[in-house]
């Protein structure tokens, strides 16, 4: 997942946990069960070098710290700088500043401390955007030494500490309220980390959310107002995602009846259509935000109507379930499973029957719009036919995109792979899953491609190869509850050796 959301609690136990929030060192941030708010040296070094290499987006509005660092680095005239600039130019992302910065942030989150900047995962397991710019690291190591970057990092520590202090009290209060509302037990974080990094070297008003393995991250650049809603949103995912994975079986029982309704919603993202557990979590979070924000009753119904029209088909159910939750004593960890089990598919179907899902706004009128629109229509058609079990029709749609519109379309390549998997053509399925890994940047596609390849290896008796695939999937699977459960199951038991729950 590359975004986030949150919920409110308020207990003394939460205060003890949140005393860790402002611990200043990275070593402390990496200890089990921590939530931290701090600067991050690796992120600073990567983005500082990026600035020297030619990254100028938003520089005029970024503030004094970015200017000071850029002037210092320019004065060093490092010998490796021409190579750094060449690399940056070769990996420039046209017309997408957020994605351009994001790929380097993804890389920074998966490297260790300077001067070694060693990857914390195998290079071939890096998420696609980070893998694309992994060649930046050897240049960064040289640049760090040649510019004595530790000196400028130490010099701007006061500015970074001030930026963190701006968030401290508000974030602590938000988290205490969130834990208090959900009645989450102190220490119930399963050794996971939620790290909020404030960085002053990027374009202002940027929020980059990542989930890698057991770690949740939010990187925030300078902003006029603190990004408290985004911080809480990601914290809610941090708290609730594991529950969706733990009760994947119960959620899938409801998906059998209700997933088809969500798939009819044009505005709903593919991640939610493909992973009902992710949709459940999103609906629960959005409902909890309404309750935690004490949204006036006059506004609640319209907001719930809008959410449902966008495809968040269980937002209203969870809003009502939370009303009941608030008037009993169990915490969310105990209340979650009964709440899922209590979803009545027939009642929800009756509630959804009169709903008119929102449609996509018209595509902008440009020369490229007709071809792009046709490609999107074919991909949507293929996805809908696949979800309906019309595999041959879906194959035709995906194949048309690859032949006529874009031979590297990651959605079409992945679509062909899952079609062949369901048509029981393992050799062709494996071929297309491998193509998906080689071309896709969508983390959902990457995650499931590893899982499917692991299953194919298991069915062929290649347990070591299967374990490697499941292990690779686990880096990004936590963003997708159903995928996480599938990857965990694959690590525990060879696929096909026992009934899958």
């Amino acid at each position: 997942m590359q975004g986030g959301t949150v919920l409110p609690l308020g207990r003394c136990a939460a205060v003890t946990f949140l005393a860790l929030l402002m611990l200043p060192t990275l070593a402390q941030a990496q200890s089990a069960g921590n939530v931290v708010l701090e600067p991050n040296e690796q992120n600073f070094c990567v983005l500082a070098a990026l600035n020297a290499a030619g990254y100028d987006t938003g520089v005029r509005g970024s503030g004094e710290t970015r200017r000071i660092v850029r002037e210092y680095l320019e004065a060093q005239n490092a010998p490796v700088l021409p190579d750094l600039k060449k690399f940056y130019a070769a990996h420039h992302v046209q017309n997408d500043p957020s994605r351009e910065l994001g790929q380097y942030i993804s890389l920074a989150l998966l490297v260790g401390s300077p001067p070694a900047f060693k990857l914390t995962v195998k290079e071939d397991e890096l998420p696609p955007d980070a893998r694309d710019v992994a060649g930046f690291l050897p240049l960064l190591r040289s640049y760090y030494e040649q510019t004595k970057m530790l000196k400028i990092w130490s010099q701007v520590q006061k500015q970074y500490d001030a930026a963190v202090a701006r968030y401290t009290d508000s974030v602590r209060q938000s988290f205490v309220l969130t834990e208090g509302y959900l009645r989450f037990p102190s220490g119930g974080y399963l050794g996971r980390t939620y790290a909020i990094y404030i960085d002053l070297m990027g374009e202002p008003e940027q929020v980059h959310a990542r989930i890698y393995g057991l770690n949740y991250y939010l990187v925030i650049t300078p902003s006029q107002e603190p990004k408290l809603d985004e911080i809480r949103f990601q914290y809610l995912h941090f708290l609730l995602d594991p529950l969706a994975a733990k009760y994947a079986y119960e959620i899938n029982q409801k998906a059998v009846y209700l997933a088809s309704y969500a798939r009819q919603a044009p505005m709903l993202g593919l991640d939610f259509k493909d992973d009902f557990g992710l949709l459940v979590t999103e609906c629960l979070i959005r409902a909890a935000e309404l309750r935690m924000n004490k949204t006036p009753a006059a506004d609640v119904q319209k907001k719930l109507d809008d959410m449902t029209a966008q495809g968040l088909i269980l937002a209203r159910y969870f809003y009502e379930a939370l009303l009941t939750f608030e008037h009993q004593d169990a915490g969310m960890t105990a209340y979650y499973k009964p709440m899922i089990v209590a979803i009545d598919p027939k009642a929800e179907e009756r509630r959804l029957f009169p709903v008119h899902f929102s449609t996509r706004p018209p595509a902008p009128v440009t020369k490229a719009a007709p071809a792009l629109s046709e490609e999107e229509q074919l991909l949507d058609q293929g996805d809908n036919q696949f979800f309906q079990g019309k595999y041959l029709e879906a194959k035709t749609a995906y194949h048309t995109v690859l032949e006529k519109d874009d031979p590297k379309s990651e959605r079409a390549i992945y679509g062909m792979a899952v079609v062949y998997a369901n048509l029981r053509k393992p050799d062709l399925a494996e071929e297309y899953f491998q193509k998906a890994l080689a071309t896709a940047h969508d983390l959902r596609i990457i995650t499931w491609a590893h899982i499917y390849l692991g299953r194919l290896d298991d069915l062929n008796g290649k347990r070591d190869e299967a374990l490697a695939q499941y292990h690779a999937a686990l880096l990004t699977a936590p963003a997708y509850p159903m995928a996480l459960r599938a990857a965990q199951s694959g690590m525990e038991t060879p696929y096909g050796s026992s009934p899958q729950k």
Side-chain angles (χ1 to χ4, degrees):
M1 177 175 117
Q2 315 281 341
T5 300
V6 177
L7 282 178
L9 319 196
R11 296 240 166 160
C12 295
V15 176
T16 302
F17 169 71
L18 288 162
L20 298 173
L21 182 64
M22 288 307 300
L23 292 178
T25 67
L26 182 63
Q28 288 166 316
Q30 290 176 331
S31 64
N34 283 356
V35 174
V36 293
L37 166 63
E38 63 183 15
N40 176 263
E41 187 175 2
Q42 291 95 300
N43 204 70
F44 167 80
C45 292
V46 169
L47 297 193
L50 194 64
N51 273 262
Y55 173 67
D56 296 328
T57 307
V59 69
R60 290 186 179 180
S62 296
E64 187 73 2
T65 304
R66 190 175 178 188
R67 181 189 65 78
I68 291 171
V69 173
R70 287 166 64 96
E71 288 179 354
Y72 170 86
L73 294 175
E74 183 179 359
Q76 305 310 303
N77 195 26
V80 76
L81 184 58
D83 291 333
L84 208 63
K85 290 183 174 180
K86 185 177 179 181
F87 184 93
Y88 171 74
H91 294 81
H92 174 64
V93 178
Q94 193 73 24
N95 300 322
D96 195 343
S98 178
R99 183 182 162 201
E100 178 164 74
L101 178 62
Q103 61 188 345
Y104 291 97
I105 287 176
S106 295
L107 181 66
L109 295 174
L110 293 168
V111 298
S113 58
F117 295 106
K118 291 183 178 179
L119 287 171
T120 57
V121 299
K122 295 178 181 178
E123 185 167 347
D124 60 1
E125 293 182 1
L126 285 170
D129 61 340
R131 187 170 63 238
D132 287 348
V133 294
F136 191 74
L137 291 180
L139 301 172
L140 174 63
R141 295 180 187 113
S142 298
Y143 191 68
Y144 179 88
E145 297 289 355
Q146 291 173 10
T147 60
K148 299 180 175 60
M149 198 179 290
L150 178 59
K151 180 178 179 181
I152 188 61
W153 169 240
S154 301
Q155 185 177 325
V156 298
Q157 280 288 290
K158 288 184 179 180
Q159 290 94 319
Y160 271 82
D161 290 342
V164 168
R166 180 177 177 232
Y167 278 86
T168 304
D169 290 342
S170 297
V171 171
R172 181 182 288 115
Q173 181 181 16
S174 174
F175 282 15
V176 168
L177 290 173
T178 300
E179 291 192 354
Y181 180 80
L182 296 176
R183 303 178 205 131
F184 248 78
S186 179
Y189 304 95
L190 307 177
R192 298 176 301 127
T193 297
Y194 177 24
I196 306 159
Y197 297 144
I198 310 299
D199 198 277
L200 306 178
M201 297 302 296
E203 179 187 9
E205 307 296 337
Q206 295 284 302
V207 179
H208 290 264
R210 302 288 188 272
I211 304 173
Y212 295 141
L214 297 178
N215 301 318
Y216 284 56
Y217 301 99
L218 210 65
V219 178
I220 303 173
T221 63
S223 59
Q224 288 291 326
E225 298 294 332
K227 302 293 186 180
L228 298 178
D229 288 344
E230 291 84 347
I231 290 172
R232 189 182 68 171
F233 184 89
Q234 185 78 336
Y235 189 52
L236 282 168
H237 269 288
F238 178 74
L239 295 175
L240 296 172
D241 283 349
L243 294 177
K246 181 177 181 179
Y247 298 109
Y249 176 71
E250 288 77 9
I251 289 173
N252 273 329
Q253 286 185 309
K254 309 304 177 180
V256 170
Y257 302 98
L258 297 174
S260 61
Y261 288 92
R263 289 165 185 157
Q264 297 173 32
M267 294 295 291
L268 189 65
L270 261 180
D271 286 1
F272 299 115
K273 294 180 179 181
D274 190 59
D275 192 319
F276 199 73
L278 186 62
L279 178 61
V280 162
T281 302
E282 185 73 9
C283 292
L284 176 55
I285 287 175
R286 298 287 289 276
E289 287 178 321
L290 292 177
R291 296 300 306 154
M292 291 163 50
N293 293 341
K294 296 182 173 20
T295 305
D299 298 330
V300 166
Q301 294 308 314
K302 184 181 185 309
K303 289 182 180 294
L304 289 173
D305 286 344
D306 291 343
M307 291 178 193
T308 304
Q310 293 169 9
L312 300 178
I313 60 172
L314 289 173
R316 191 178 300 276
Y317 169 79
F318 285 121
Y319 184 85
E320 294 171 357
L322 288 173
L323 291 175
T324 303
F325 170 74
E326 292 168 7
H327 292 89
Q328 51 85 63
D329 296 327
M332 183 53 70
T333 53
Y335 187 77
Y336 188 92
K337 180 179 178 179
M339 179 174 62
I340 297 298
V341 172
I343 296 173
D344 182 347
K346 290 185 177 180
E348 295 307 315
E349 286 174 346
R350 288 193 296 270
R351 182 148 51 186
L352 290 168
F353 181 76
V355 171
H356 295 283
F357 291 115
S358 301
T359 58
R360 292 184 185 180
V365 180
T366 66
K367 292 181 180 179
L372 179 60
S373 175
E374 179 184 359
E375 179 183 340
E376 287 184 336
Q377 288 178 15
L378 280 168
L379 289 169
D380 287 346
Q381 175 184 318
D383 292 339
N384 290 332
Q385 289 168 335
F386 174 79
F387 289 137
Q388 295 168 22
K390 300 176 181 179
Y391 302 128
L392 293 178
E393 292 90 334
K395 175 187 169 186
T396 299
Y398 295 134
H399 187 265
T400 301
V401 170
L402 295 173
E403 288 291 313
K404 184 178 179 182
D405 296 304
D406 181 5
K408 294 184 178 180
S409 168
E410 57 187 72
R411 277 179 67 185
I413 291 171
Y414 179 75
M416 292 290 285
V418 293
V419 162
Y420 280 127
N422 281 274
L423 290 175
R424 301 183 183 277
K425 296 186 176 181
D427 291 342
L428 288 170
E430 180 176 2
E431 177 186 339
Y432 276 94
F433 282 127
Q434 293 289 3
K435 286 181 179 179
L437 288 181
T439 60
H441 281 75
D442 185 318
L443 293 185
R444 175 185 62 89
I445 289 176
I446 294 294
T447 302
W448 276 108
H450 279 303
I451 292 169
Y452 276 114
L453 286 169
R455 290 174 171 178
L456 289 171
D457 283 332
D458 267 336
L459 292 173
N460 288 322
K462 301 176 181 178
R463 184 57 179 161
D464 290 342
E465 290 89 336
L467 288 171
Q469 294 289 353
Y470 298 136
H471 183 270
L474 285 172
L475 179 66
T476 50
Y480 312 99
M482 301 299 105
L484 176 59
R485 189 67 204 114
Q488 291 172 335
S489 295
M491 293 292 291
E492 296 164 2
T493 308
Y495 182 74
S497 63
S498 63
Q500 299 296 302
K501 201 177 184 183

